[in-house]
Amino acid sequence: MVKKYAPNRFPYLLLTNIGQLITLRGGVTPRRGSALKEIGLIEDAAVLCGGGKIISAGPERGLFLDPWVKKNRRRVQELDCKGGVVLPGLVDCHTHPVFAEPRLVDFEKRITGATYEQIAAAGGGIRSSVAAVRKASGKSLAEKVLDGFNGLLRHGTTTVEAKSGYGLSTEAEIKSLEAIREAARLWPGTVRSTLLAAHVVPPEFAAKPDDYVAKVCDEIIPLVARKKLADYVDVFCERGAFTLEQSEKILGAARRHGLQTRAHVGQFTPSRLNGLLAHKPASLDHMDCVAAEDIAALATGDTVAVLLPGANYFLGHREFPDARRLIDAGVPIALATDYNPGTSPTPSLPFIMSLACTHMKMSPEEALAACTVNAACALQIEKQKGSIQPGKDADLAIFDVKDYREIAYWFAWNRCVEMVVGGEKQPLTSDLQ
Ligand code: NIG
Ligand code: FE
């Protein structure tokens, strides 16, 4: 979904007084191994934006001496960053925002000892979000999605991947993707959309799961492709959801209809990845369980492993995805919120970065690269998003901290104070309003 930015009174925006500018510039993408630590820090910096793009970014003194800037100062709106930290707008490469209600029953059942899989097997879990989505109007769903997108924006995110997956019928999946499209139209940021009709088998197909797989492949995917409602097709490859064989069928159908692929895999149980990798997925997500035999293929390919520690946190797991093992082997990794009502109801990538540091032993630098440049690779938009470099989209997040490491340090404390999207400063409503 491409946005056109209307020109405003000031054709240029100049961010000044930036204590630390984290550019994430340069380098080969996706970042692997030690390259994941290179954040391109510039102290006492400024950024000039125009026409929705970054024009230049560098030390503030140099920029003020630039003859063009001197001559055009009147046409330039200034944004004083007050010595704070400026990041590229964060990229949340895995969310499920199309739901109607929180899942409080599941939440309480887990507190008293039930596991996610036990709750799902007893009719809770994903299936319990379906009835409300099927009943909801398209308009009310779009409002919910927009509310989620605005929550993400307030925490620094300007690009998001958004999945359907709580409709599980042709009509309700189309309605969900249309709700994403409508919310994307009203939201200033950028949205990549994903069909996740294969989230679980819906109740009416419980006795004939292969018939549902056939419906997804032969009816839902072709229709979504024809209507141009999604960039990607995703599948939940897991015990209790879809088998590896069914998942491969679904990704194959996606590619035949010109859609790109990604998959949820290895959240609770391992699956061998070669069959999925044959469909060239942009990302494989969760990846809590990865067989040693699959690491080499991941390290040499461009599929990004998207790690979702918000789900481990919210499900109360002791174990978290083994980021060190993947990074040290050269696997490109990204982080995302997995924003959804069942396993990760948070819009905060800074909180996810904090979890990555404390529970996955990623450094603050690695966590930043995983939520920017590598997340943009996971959405195949790294040429426009994920770093602050001339020619890229002018999406920026301003944090009220002196040191970039504080973004992961002040956990569950939103220090994001200003957002710039497409070169325009955004009004941010506070969480209390
Ligand atoms: O990524 N694992 C599958 N899908 C979601 C959970 C969705 C839900 O429980 O509603 C996830 O964690
Ligand atoms: Fe997910």
Side-chain angles (χ1 to χ4, degrees):
M1 289 166 201
V2 180
K3 285 262 151 61
K4 287 206 183 76
Y5 295 103
N8 72 359
R9 198 158 62 84
F10 293 102
Y12 301 97
L13 179 71
L14 180 63
L15 283 79
T16 59
N17 201 7
I18 300 170
Q20 293 186 335
L21 178 67
I22 310 301
T23 64
L24 278 303
R25 67 188 167 189
V28 179
T29 52
R31 302 274 179 89
R32 299 163 200 270
S34 60
L36 199 63
K37 289 198 190 88
E38 290 160 21
I39 58 169
L41 167 68
I42 304 174
E43 301 213 302
D44 302 320
V47 177
L48 178 64
C49 314
K53 305 283 175 196
I54 308 279
I55 296 177
S56 64
E60 184 168 84
R61 249 180 323 150
L63 219 106
F64 279 137
L65 294 175
D66 184 283
W68 184 94
V69 174
K70 274 184 169 168
K71 197 168 136 225
N72 287 281
R73 265 322 264 276
R74 284 239 192 94
R75 300 166 68 202
V76 174
Q77 182 187 13
E78 207 170 307
L79 174 55
D80 181 353
C81 298
K82 299 181 181 150
V85 170
V86 173
L87 305 181
L90 301 174
V91 178
D92 195 343
C93 61
H94 182 137
T95 79
H96 306 248
V98 199
F99 56 89
E101 303 292 344
R103 288 224 300 272
L104 300 172
V105 174
D106 296 13
F107 181 54
E108 288 193 316
K109 278 190 178 163
R110 273 197 307 278
I111 293 168
T112 53
T115 68
Y116 181 79
E117 285 185 281
Q118 286 164 348
I119 293 167
I126 295 166
R127 285 183 195 88
S128 61
S129 288
V130 170
V133 166
R134 287 182 177 176
K135 240 194 295 148
S137 69
K139 183 165 176 286
S140 72
L141 279 184
E143 278 164 11
K144 301 269 183 192
V145 176
L146 185 59
D147 188 48
F149 287 175
N150 283 333
L152 294 160
L153 183 69
R154 284 201 295 274
H155 290 82
T157 295
T158 53
T159 296
V160 61
E161 183 262 10
K163 305 173 199 294
S164 65
Y166 296 111
L168 310 185
S169 68
T170 307
E171 196 202 348
E173 286 294 306
I174 297 283
K175 180 173 68 176
S176 299
L177 291 172
E178 285 173 346
I180 292 171
R181 185 169 64 183
E182 177 60 6
R185 193 178 67 76
L186 299 169
W187 192 57
T190 298
V191 178
R192 299 279 273 165
S193 62
T194 299
L195 170 70
L196 179 55
H199 204 178
V200 283
V201 176
E204 61 275 19
F205 282 88
K208 38 189 175 114
D210 283 326
D211 289 5
Y212 185 63
V213 173
K215 182 182 168 78
V216 171
C217 293
D218 303 338
E219 184 181 315
I220 304 182
I221 289 174
L223 185 58
V224 165
R226 228 178 309 129
K227 286 176 167 279
K228 297 197 187 327
L229 273 170
D231 303 297
Y232 296 98
V233 170
D234 194 345
V235 55
F236 186 17
C237 179
E238 187 55 72
R239 182 170 69 192
F242 294 90
T243 65
L244 191 51
E245 199 190 337
Q246 291 168 334
S247 301
E248 287 176 33
K249 264 195 196 145
I250 287 160
L251 298 193
R255 297 227 301 156
R256 278 197 302 284
H257 289 277
L259 295 169
Q260 316 259 36
T261 62
R262 49 200 329 116
H264 286 68
V265 64
Q267 182 174 12
F268 305 115
T269 56
S271 287
R272 285 305 309 274
L273 301 180
N274 43 343
L276 297 175
L277 287 171
H279 295 288
K280 307 226 171 304
S283 69
L284 293 178
D285 302 38
H286 284 292
M287 304 285 270
D288 294 72
C289 319
V290 183
E293 296 80 358
D294 287 322
I295 296 273
L298 289 166
T300 50
D302 280 343
T303 296
V304 177
V306 175
L307 310 180
L308 306 167
N312 302 63
Y313 164 79
F314 193 67
L315 297 181
H317 290 177
R318 290 222 168 82
E319 299 289 320
F320 280 74
D322 194 347
R324 283 266 59 92
R325 173 175 173 242
L326 296 171
I327 296 168
D328 297 344
V331 178
I333 65 122
L335 291 163
T337 61
D338 196 10
Y339 171 66
N340 78 73
T343 65
S344 195
T346 179
S348 172
L349 274 175
F351 175 59
I352 299 300
M353 288 189 229
S354 189
L355 285 179
C357 294
T358 56
H359 286 64
M360 293 153 70
K361 306 301 171 209
M362 286 174 65
S363 69
E365 296 79 12
E366 290 173 329
L368 281 170
C371 292
T372 53
V373 59
N374 272 23
C377 290
L379 299 183
Q380 300 166 305
I381 48 173
E382 69 276 14
K383 291 204 168 66
Q384 298 95 53
K385 308 285 182 187
S387 67
I388 302 174
Q389 288 175 269
K392 282 204 164 183
D393 292 350
D395 296 348
L396 305 158
I398 297 110
F399 287 80
D400 177 23
V401 291
K402 292 261 168 296
D403 185 307
Y404 66 86
R405 292 170 296 184
E406 292 179 67
I407 292 167
Y409 170 91
W410 298 112
F411 81 94
W413 184 346
N414 188 14
R415 310 300 298 238
C416 178
V417 286
E418 298 275 9
M419 293 300 297
V420 171
V421 184
E424 305 259 336
K425 181 166 135 36
Q426 299 300 312
L428 286 189
T429 50
S430 91
D431 285 357
L432 292 174
Q433 282 171 344

